[in-house]
Amino acid sequence: MPRIEFALTTGVAPDRFVAALTDFSPARADLWPNVDAQHLRVHKIGADWAEVTEGSSLAGGVWERNHYDWSTAGTVRVETIESNTWRPGSSWQYRIEPAGTGSHIRVTVDRRPATLRGRLLGLLLMVAGRRALRGATEQVLHKLDHPTA
């Protein structure tokens, strides 16, 4: 059961990062490296929550239906409802705090494998997950901080 934690400080303002986390338009696939347009489907959306299926072609296709909740200021919680890889209750949590004109972001990822594919990906996450997930988040922050780059 891999649990990964990392923190980043960025010039991107907290509200801008939260907006990127909670933008479920087709532009999501352009911003987030682990989301393919063909796997993105919005099921329900409210003022401070959404239920969305997303995923990528990684490892033959990994998808999950998630419940997003950003009702608590400075926190976005993503919990898996259904997946072809991860058990319900797997989660991502983003805590975003102001840091000057930017943000300090703490990310906690808790993955609970449901399948052989999940167990294999879980092993990869235990070995290289922190670096890979941090790198993917840094890519997003770079795109937000340099929209024309």
Side-chain angles (χ1 to χ4, degrees), residues 116-135:
L116 176 59
R117 175 188 330 202
R119 287 190 292 278
L120 292 173
L121 288 173
L123 289 172
L124 285 173
L125 285 173
M126 288 171 44
V127 172
R130 184 174 187 267
R131 187 174 74 205
L133 297 177
R134 181 185 172 100

Side-chain angles (χ1 to χ4, degrees), residues 8-9 20 32 35 39 44 47 49 58 67-69 79 88 93 104 115 120 125-126 142:
L8 299 161
T9 300
W32 294 92
V35 176
H39 288 93
K44 303 175 193 175
W49 64 273
L58 173 75
H67 178 81
Y68 280 75
D69 180 337
E79 186 167 324
Q93 182 165 283
H104 181 71
T115 63
L120 292 173
L125 285 173
M126 288 171 44
H142 181 78

Side-chain angles (χ1 to χ4, degrees), residues 1-3 87 110-113 126:
M1 206 157 65
R3 182 178 173 95
R87 283 193 340 222
D110 181 12
R111 295 318 231 167
R112 302 172 186 184
M126 288 171 44

